[in-house]
Amino acid sequence: MATLFDNQAMERQGAGFAKRISTHLAAALVVFCLLQIFIVAKMGGSLVLHFGVIIAIGGFAIAARALEHRWQMLDHSGLSHAGLRLRFRRDLLQLWGTSLLGALLWVPVAIIFHALFG
């Protein structure tokens, strides 16, 4: 868990923040996909809910690419290391929060779907 927010080993190797955020984005996308599939399958998801999962994953991937592009620009902006580290930690918190909590939004959606359509 300590390497999740500090990544001192990667800093020693000279990896920039853009490369580090790309690694976190890939892992967060995998976690987001697996959680969504697992939750929808456990809730007895229909084909419509699985189609919604595909759309949500696509939206997450587009947002992830925008965040990756932002960090490529920030990495070359000349900001201080401390300023970049603060932004990096904030973005990591938002990224993993969105990845984990976003998948849980399927629980109320599935409940409402089953209440309306049986």
Side-chain angles (χ1 to χ4, degrees):
M1 187 67 162
T3 59
L4 179 66
F5 292 107
D6 200 13
N7 289 335
Q8 291 176 354
M10 291 185 92
E11 284 179 20
R12 279 186 237 118
Q13 295 171 357
F17 286 103
K19 179 149 177 74
R20 292 166 55 194
I21 201 74
S22 292
T23 303
H24 283 282
L25 283 168
L29 183 59
V30 169
V31 168
F32 182 73
C33 293
L34 291 175
L35 279 174
Q36 283 198 349
I37 292 167
F38 177 76
I39 290 171
V40 169
K42 285 294 180 184
M43 297 295 291
S46 68
L47 186 60
V48 174
L49 291 177
H50 283 90
F51 184 67
V53 167
I54 293 170
I55 291 171
I57 291 170
F60 189 89
I62 291 170
R65 179 61 187 129
L67 182 63
E68 186 177 33
H69 179 70
R70 174 179 178 260
W71 272 99
Q72 288 172 352
M73 293 179 65
L74 279 173
D75 220 12
H76 299 292
S77 68
L79 289 173
S80 69
H81 187 73
L84 286 172
R85 189 175 356 170
L86 179 66
R87 286 175 175 83
F88 182 77
R89 287 181 179 170
R90 183 195 63 213
D91 283 352
L92 274 186
L93 184 63
Q94 290 174 351
L95 171 67
W96 284 104
T98 302
S99 178
L100 297 173
L101 296 176
L104 295 177
L105 292 175
W106 284 108
V107 173
V109 169
I111 291 171
I112 292 170
F113 185 81
H114 285 296
L116 292 176
F117 301 109

